[in-house]
């Protein structure tokens, strides 16, 4: 059962929005490699606003994800790509439905 989640708001610099989109799309293999991250979405809300939403079975898995390669790559490029630091919000899953 998924009980823990993250909602990450990412705001790109206007001239780097397509680079952020490519970065997020390119992060899919990294997310797929994390067996402890069963749900991972990279979303685009408007021209410069993006979200990562993911869910986990427990707090330990959420922490492992935050310490993993996607977060490291995002933070390594944050100054160059982002207008503001990413807003990383832990959340509790109240209900879920995921069908592939």
């Amino acid at each position: 059962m998924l009980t823990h989640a993250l909602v990450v708001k990412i705001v790109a610099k206007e001239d780097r929005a397509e680079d952020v989109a490519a970065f997020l799309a390119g992060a899919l293999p990294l997310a797929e490699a994390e067996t402890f991250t069963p749900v991972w979405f990279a979303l685009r809300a408007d021209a410069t606003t993006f979200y990562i939403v993911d869910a986990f079975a427990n707090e330990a898995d959420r922490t492992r994800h935050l310490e993993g390669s996607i977060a490291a790559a995002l933070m390594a490029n944050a100054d160059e790509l982002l207008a503001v630091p990413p807003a990383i919000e832990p959340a509790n899953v109240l209900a879920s439905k995921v069908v592939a």
Side-chain angles (χ1 to χ4, degrees):
M1 179 173 192
L2 302 174
T3 56
H4 292 69
L6 289 169
V7 179
V8 181
K9 183 177 183 182
I10 299 166
V11 180
K13 293 179 180 177
E14 284 190 36
D15 62 333
R16 301 306 301 267
E18 296 312 312
D19 295 325
V20 171
F23 169 82
L24 291 173
L28 180 58
L30 298 174
E32 290 174 333
E34 291 184 354
T35 58
F36 53 88
T37 305
V39 176
W40 184 87
F41 292 99
L43 310 169
R44 188 174 202 162
D46 61 35
T48 59
T49 306
F50 301 84
Y51 290 90
I52 297 173
V53 179
D54 36 27
F56 313 89
N58 54 56
E59 177 66 32
D61 289 347
R62 180 168 62 188
T63 299
R64 283 176 65 193
H65 177 73
L66 284 170
E67 295 170 349
S69 56
I70 297 171
L74 178 62
M75 297 313 291
N77 294 292
D79 289 342
E80 180 183 333
L81 298 175
L82 307 183
V84 296
I88 302 170
E89 300 292 336
N92 294 321
V93 177
L94 300 177
S96 64
K97 177 183 176 184
V98 178
V99 178

